[in-house]
Amino acid sequence: MARAEPGQRDSLFDALAQEAARAVAPLAVRMRPRTLDEVIGQRHLTSGGSPLRKLTEHDAALSVLLWGPPGTGKTTLAYVVSQVTRRRFVELSAVSAGVKDVRAAIESARRELGISGAQTILFIDEVHRFNKAQQDALLPAVENRWVSFIGATTENPFHSVVGPLLSRSLLLTLHPLSDEEIGLVIERALADERGLGGTVTLAAAAAEHLVRLAGGDARRALTYLEAAALGLPGGGVIDIDVLERAVDRAAVRYDRDGDQHYDVISAFIKSIRGSDADAALHYLARMIEAGEDPRFIARRLIVHASEDVGMADPSALQVAIAAAHAVEFVGLPEARINLAQAVIHLSLAPKSNAVVRAIDAAAQDVRAGLAGPVPKHLRDASYRGAARLGHGRGYQYPHDHAEGVVGQAYAPDSIADRTYYQPSRHGAEARYAERSERIRAILGRDTGAGAGQAVSHGQPASHGLPAGDGAAPGDGPAPGDGPAPGNPPAGEQ
């Protein structure tokens, strides 16, 4: 079906122009699916009973917002809906179109609806780039269903789309394609007559590299494949060398299920722990370029922020979590900047492992059976009969005292002399160390013998640069390194 331009009706010349354009169209455009069954990925949107399936099967006039990273099929889905329902497809880009273009497209759709009864799909790419006035111009057409509006956005629509338009539209979220799905996209493009038609073959190693380069973006995969195939004679083979020359990116030797995965992430964490921001950035770039899951990297940064920085810079955890949110909301390639900021922050932050040593020491005591009864004055006294049991009796309310701290027992008797948190004097933790000493003095805690007993569960905290990996040979991976190869936790490959 020909694509109508704003303000124009379909004609034989439009169809011929579209056929000519299709002949020279990029591979990613030529390979666009023609039905929902041909769509690879996004099964939650295209399977039986899904919103898009109902939209096409019942020929309903609905308004839809498609939200997802680049190359996940937003334009493709809009085009497929128009093909299946045989509606006019009018596409505008919010990058170049203005209110005048929007109104012209709507008026054309109204005129066509009145003359021939033909409905129009108005697809607006990058709709988040429209300002409020431009988005408001869509409201009458959406409200009266003069068009079936489909908007595509890579940004959170709750932040970038005006409330009235958002409330009148069905919001559908698209996800990055999996490696297997990208592989299917590539295989189809190699074999299909609309694509390369079997004129070239793709070596296995090059196929794996192409999948990594794609990073869940089908358009990128097809663009790189087309560039690699350009100029190859019939029967030619796209190997690693051909692919590298075509995309100007070297293949990074990296196996997400093998030694490289564990070696690189181990070196990454140890570089941050050792405060070498440059080395850490190298390993970050190496993982990203090799196609490592950015969520895995973000999770390791969150752990490191508490394990190796901790109270020496409490903002490190906030920065790491913010980077993880950026990965979810923005995605690659832009989120690489957010990850890099977090890596630099954590690398240059003062270091302390007091937090992880404190919780590990407390957990070791609990596992050893040192978990006595809760002191009576701390027990729940809110229910009937608690007073007869003596619960809450003698409890002193800290806010009634000068510093908000009052000397009373909080820990069970079995661990009353234990001191788990041993702050360093690095960065902000120096302030917490001083306050911790004052509080323990008010509480009547002995910070001498008790501290020694608690720290005896592990080596005393080091306040200098770490010597080696933090674990003796044969002890297994150091904290933060992840599990040894062959025994990864679920979801961390």
Side-chain angles (χ1 to χ4, degrees):
M1 176 175 286
R3 177 176 299 181
E5 296 299 328
Q8 296 180 352
R9 293 187 60 188
D10 294 341
S11 69
L12 176 61
F13 297 105
D14 293 327
L16 291 175
Q18 287 299 319
E19 288 299 326
R22 190 175 293 112
V24 296
L27 180 61
V29 174
R30 302 200 307 271
M31 289 305 302
R32 275 184 181 155
R34 293 157 293 192
T35 67
L36 287 179
D37 291 331
E38 286 187 6
V39 174
I40 296 176
Q42 316 305 338
R43 299 305 298 168
H44 62 295
L45 301 182
T46 61
S47 58
S50 64
L52 280 179
R53 182 71 68 172
K54 290 180 179 178
L55 180 65
T56 55
E57 289 177 351
H58 299 285
D59 202 21
L62 291 177
S63 294
V64 177
L65 281 171
L66 301 173
W67 173 30
T72 52
K74 298 183 292 295
T75 303
T76 292
L77 288 177
Y79 183 69
V80 166
V81 170
S82 74
Q83 291 286 87
V84 173
T85 59
R86 302 199 61 78
R87 298 179 187 178
R88 296 172 69 249
F89 185 77
V90 178
E91 180 178 357
L92 295 178
S93 172
V95 175
S96 57
V99 172
K100 181 180 179 181
D101 301 301
V102 172
R103 288 175 176 165
I106 292 172
E107 183 57 33
S108 173
R110 288 185 65 184
R111 186 168 56 249
E112 192 65 37
L113 185 63
I115 294 174
S116 65
Q119 298 184 38
T120 299
I121 288 179
L122 176 58
F123 175 68
I124 298 183
D125 198 16
E126 304 288 337
V127 69
H128 59 272
R129 293 181 179 268
F130 269 175
N131 59 34
K132 184 179 184 298
Q134 291 169 313
Q135 293 186 35
D136 286 344
L138 293 166
L139 293 177
V142 172
E143 183 73 30
N144 295 290
R145 293 189 174 177
W146 296 330
V147 299
S148 289
F149 164 70
I150 301 181
T153 177
T154 56
E155 296 190 5
N156 190 333
F158 292 100
H159 299 155
S160 58
V161 177
V162 296
L165 183 57
L166 186 60
S167 67
R168 289 168 171 79
S169 304
L170 181 65
L171 178 60
L172 303 178
T173 304
L174 288 78
H175 307 302
L177 274 65
S178 67
D179 288 354
E180 292 76 16
E181 290 166 345
I182 291 292
L184 290 174
V185 169
I186 295 169
E187 289 176 9
R188 179 182 292 177
L190 285 167
D192 198 293
E193 290 300 323
R194 293 177 298 153
L196 300 178
T199 57
V200 298
T201 56
L202 185 64
E208 292 177 3
H209 184 41
L210 182 56
V211 169
R212 287 197 298 269
L213 289 175
D217 185 329
R219 186 189 300 113
R220 185 187 302 164
L222 294 178
T223 300
Y224 289 170
L225 176 62
E226 185 176 29
L230 187 65
L232 280 183
V237 178
I238 301 173
D239 56 19
I240 283 287
D241 291 337
V242 171
L243 185 59
E244 286 181 340
R245 288 196 300 270
V247 302
D248 194 27
R249 294 178 69 176
V252 180
R253 184 175 179 270
Y254 190 89
D255 181 357
R256 281 189 282 180
D257 296 321
D259 290 343
Q260 293 96 346
H261 169 83
Y262 295 102
D263 289 345
V264 172
I265 195 64
S266 176
F268 175 62
I269 290 300
K270 289 172 182 174
S271 297
I272 298 175
R273 183 184 296 148
S275 301
D276 191 334
D278 299 310
L281 286 169
H282 164 78
Y283 292 118
L284 172 65
R286 194 159 156 180
M287 288 187 287
I288 291 175
E289 292 299 313
E292 180 62 85
D293 185 349
R295 295 170 298 178
F296 168 77
I297 301 171
R299 287 195 295 268
R300 298 312 308 163
L301 290 176
I302 291 173
V303 173
H304 171 78
S306 291
E307 184 176 8
D308 291 305
V309 178
M311 298 300 290
D313 181 1
S315 69
L317 180 57
Q318 301 170 20
V319 170
I321 291 175
H325 285 168
V327 166
E328 295 291 343
F329 292 139
V330 178
L332 293 177
E334 289 85 355
R336 78 192 190 284
I337 307 170
N338 309 109
L339 289 171
Q341 179 178 342
V343 166
I344 293 170
H345 185 114
L346 269 61
S347 296
L348 301 183
K351 303 299 190 292
S352 170
N353 63 357
V355 170
V356 66
R357 289 192 177 277
I359 185 59
D360 286 350
Q364 185 167 338
D365 273 353
V366 171
R367 289 193 294 266
L370 297 178
V374 174
K376 282 192 173 183
H377 62 282
L378 299 183
R379 297 183 190 180
D380 179 20
S382 62
Y383 61 93
R384 183 179 300 175
R388 291 203 306 270
L389 298 175
H391 293 185
R393 186 180 303 156
Y395 172 67
Q396 299 183 64
Y397 190 52
H399 295 292
D400 291 337
H401 297 263
E403 292 191 30
V405 181
V406 58
Q408 62 182 336
Y410 289 96
D413 291 342
S414 57
I415 57 109
D417 62 340
R418 314 298 279 183
T419 302
Y420 299 119
Y421 179 47
Q422 295 289 321
S424 73
R425 298 285 175 172
H426 296 162
E429 196 163 32
R431 299 197 305 272
Y432 294 101
E434 295 170 1
R435 178 162 175 78
S436 178
E437 290 176 359
R438 292 201 308 273
I439 290 174
R440 283 169 176 162
I442 295 172
L443 295 177
R445 300 287 300 275
D446 182 357
T447 58
Q453 291 175 8
V455 177
S456 66
H457 298 312
Q459 296 299 318
S462 169
H463 300 319
L465 291 176
D469 297 341
D475 287 346
D481 294 345
N487 189 29
E492 293 294 74
Q493 288 92 334

